[in-house]
Amino acid sequence: VYTFPGRKGEPVVLELLAERIGGPNDVFLRVRDAAGKDLLGDLDDDPDSLHPVGFYSRSSDPPATRFTPPADGNYFA
């Protein structure tokens, strides 16, 4: 979990890197406010395979996501 300050109306780009940099992690992205309310649902990888044997041409990391805080405060990703 990472904490970041957000200002109302100022977009933030969030991006997770795991598989693309050789990490073994299976990551997903969720953003919550200080009260624990989900503001951005779970963004996860796509479980569908492009080919039953291999030939991977995509990453299972979630895509870069633009989040605009609804109010000033700390947010948790």
Side-chain angles (χ1 to χ4, degrees):
V1 174
Y2 294 91
T3 303
F4 63 94
R7 297 183 62 94
K8 181 179 181 175
E10 292 185 12
V12 176
V13 175
L14 303 168
E15 185 172 17
L16 300 177
L17 302 174
E19 182 182 25
R20 288 179 282 166
I21 60 172
N25 308 53
D26 180 17
V27 295
F28 66 93
L29 178 62
R30 176 186 298 155
V31 176
R32 292 183 173 166
D33 63 13
K37 179 181 175 187
D38 276 334
L39 301 174
L40 182 66
D42 290 345
L43 297 177
D44 204 348
D45 56 351
D46 184 358
D48 295 334
S49 176
L50 296 178
H51 190 276
V53 178
F55 305 111
Y56 300 108
S57 60
R58 64 171 176 78
S59 164
S60 67
D61 295 337
T65 303
R66 182 180 167 134
F67 169 71
T68 304
D72 290 353
N74 286 324
Y75 293 87
F76 304 91

